Amino acid sequence: RAKRNGKLMARSSGFLIDWDEGSKEGTVLTSARIICSKYTALTQWSGTDEYVPDAEIIAHLLDEDETTVPAILFRYDKHINIAVLKVNLDLCAKIPRFSSDINYGQEILVLGRDERLNMTIAHGCVNFMGPTTYERHHYLFTGCEPSIGGMVIDFDGHVLGMANFPGTAYIPSSIVLKCLDMWKKFQCIPRLHIGMKLSPIKFLDPIHVERIFRKCNIDSGLIVKEVSHGSIAEELGVRPGDVVDSVNGECVATTVELENLIMRICENHLDQGGAIGSCMDILVGILHMRKGRKGPRHTLSLRLNVSDDVEVFISDF
């Protein structure tokens, strides 16, 4: 739990991802909501959420003595909505194993804690759906109300991700592991703000997918739901209804695939001497859709800023 000026701000589950036997220091993964003092319930794209990185954080170890210890905020990311804490653990700790082998429709368990710190276990499955226009691109969904910060596991106990806000959303392990690796290499999580809200064709209902295929001869890609006002994408003529089918020549079928690809592109950029705040060009394959009909396909070059801050989306009302 986190406190500010003695008042409770938020509670969150969390789990160990590393433990040093020599120093007895544990590394805990949790949601950045633990230090969020103000958040916008309607959309995650507003950029108006407020964070208190110097909040007092207390970790409940849930051992036989119900020990509580101070937790130190090590890193957090407002866009991905994850945080890493450091705690002293004078006990033997077992570290869970991550797995990136996630199949849509796969049965899963979501672990967490209630307000009395009792374990909660919810049974769900990886839903066939993409994010709404209010949710970030890096989420998958469980179909059950999870405990924020809790583990999403398969029936073999492997961690498939971390439950997070909003609703039934969770961050898949592929994104979590890439974030941890970026923090280790660069002390930040670089991203490109592409200025589009996207939704995968493959998760539409079959009737809709068949209609798109019949009229446009495509059955994969990301439908542009909104374009951020003033963005490079808008300036280059991208409009709602267009379809993104590739980035830098690689096909993208889901928004999670897109997020993984974008972070990999940024990682290569920093490995080659680039920096946060620099610009880089990415090639985006766009199929223009006008009045429900397939128009020309273009490869657009988007010059984007490499940022480690939250992406803000500006709607054109």
Side-chain angles (χ1 to χ4, degrees):
R1 67 179 188 271
K3 291 184 177 181
R4 183 186 189 188
N5 299 325
K7 291 186 177 181
L8 180 67
M9 286 174 50
R11 293 186 178 92
S12 177
S13 298
F15 54 96
L16 279 173
I17 56 173
D18 194 18
W19 182 63
D20 187 282
E21 186 174 0
S23 66
K24 304 296 183 182
E25 183 180 70
T27 303
V28 175
L29 180 69
T30 188
S31 170
R33 281 285 306 281
I34 189 72
I35 56 164
C36 186
S37 60
K38 175 185 175 183
Y39 68 93
T40 306
L42 292 180
T43 178
Q44 294 194 309
W45 295 93
S46 66
T48 57
D49 292 353
E50 296 178 2
Y51 294 81
V52 186
D54 60 349
E56 177 190 6
I57 305 175
I58 302 297
H60 294 258
L61 302 186
L62 302 176
D63 55 9
E64 60 183 15
D65 298 321
E66 298 189 358
T67 306
T68 59
V69 296
I72 305 299
L73 179 66
F74 183 60
R75 302 203 186 280
Y76 75 104
D77 187 271
K78 294 183 285 187
H79 185 91
I80 304 297
N81 199 17
I82 63 174
V84 169
L85 312 176
K86 296 290 187 178
V87 296
N88 289 324
L89 299 172
D90 190 15
L91 50 84
C92 183
K94 185 176 180 180
I95 306 303
R97 293 176 57 190
F98 281 85
S99 173
S100 297
D101 186 18
I102 300 174
N103 300 307
Y104 293 99
Q106 175 181 353
E107 289 189 281
I108 54 176
L109 299 173
V110 184
L111 309 184
R113 297 282 173 179
D114 62 19
E115 292 188 357
R116 295 183 177 182
L117 303 182
N118 294 319
M119 178 180 285
T120 61
I121 304 175
H123 176 239
C125 66
V126 183
N127 280 3
F128 288 85
M129 61 185 291
T132 69
T133 57
Y134 305 107
E135 298 160 338
R136 296 291 190 187
H137 290 149
H138 54 267
Y139 288 128
L140 292 178
F141 299 87
T142 64
C144 58
E145 290 290 338
S147 173
I148 295 174
M151 290 190 292
V152 178
I153 64 172
D154 62 19
F155 283 10
D156 293 321
H158 297 150
V159 178
L160 301 181
M162 184 186 73
N164 214 323
F165 180 81
T168 68
Y170 77 95
I171 305 171
S173 57
S174 61
I175 299 289
V176 171
L177 292 173
K178 177 55 71 176
C179 288
L180 296 175
D181 184 54
M182 297 273 228
W183 269 331
K184 185 179 296 185
K185 292 177 66 175
F186 309 122
Q187 291 75 56
C188 65
I189 301 173
R191 290 188 68 263
L192 298 174
H193 296 181
I194 61 174
M196 293 177 279
K197 293 181 183 179
L198 304 163
S199 183
I201 290 176
K202 69 182 293 184
F203 295 150
L204 296 174
D205 65 85
I207 296 174
H208 198 171
V209 173
E210 192 272 340
R211 185 165 63 246
I212 292 174
F213 183 78
R214 179 163 45 86
K215 290 187 175 183
C216 307
N217 196 33
I218 56 172
D219 57 4
S220 185
L222 305 174
I223 300 173
V224 178
K225 307 298 288 186
E226 291 185 48
V227 183
S228 185
H229 181 60
S231 66
I232 298 298
E234 183 186 58
E235 291 178 7
L236 293 179
V238 180
R239 297 294 181 266
D242 290 346
V243 175
V244 173
D245 62 4
S246 68
V247 174
N248 278 3
E250 293 191 36
C251 295
V252 286
T254 70
T255 56
V256 172
E257 289 179 16
L258 176 66
E259 285 293 304
N260 275 306
L261 176 56
I262 285 175
M263 286 199 287
R264 193 167 75 244
I265 290 171
C266 289
E267 180 181 24
N268 292 336
H269 180 68
L270 266 63
D271 279 338
Q272 294 169 11
I276 297 297
S278 61
C279 291
M280 63 179 302
D281 296 319
I282 63 168
L283 300 178
V284 178
I286 293 279
L287 181 64
H288 290 300
M289 306 291 291
R290 298 293 183 262
K291 298 181 179 180
R293 295 288 179 180
K294 181 172 68 171
R297 185 189 185 281
H298 295 289
T299 298
L300 304 180
S301 179
L302 273 60
R303 170 150 288 198
L304 303 174
N305 181 53
V306 180
S307 173
D308 63 349
D309 202 357
V310 63
E311 181 171 0
V312 177
F313 194 95
I314 302 175
S315 297
D316 188 12
F317 295 107

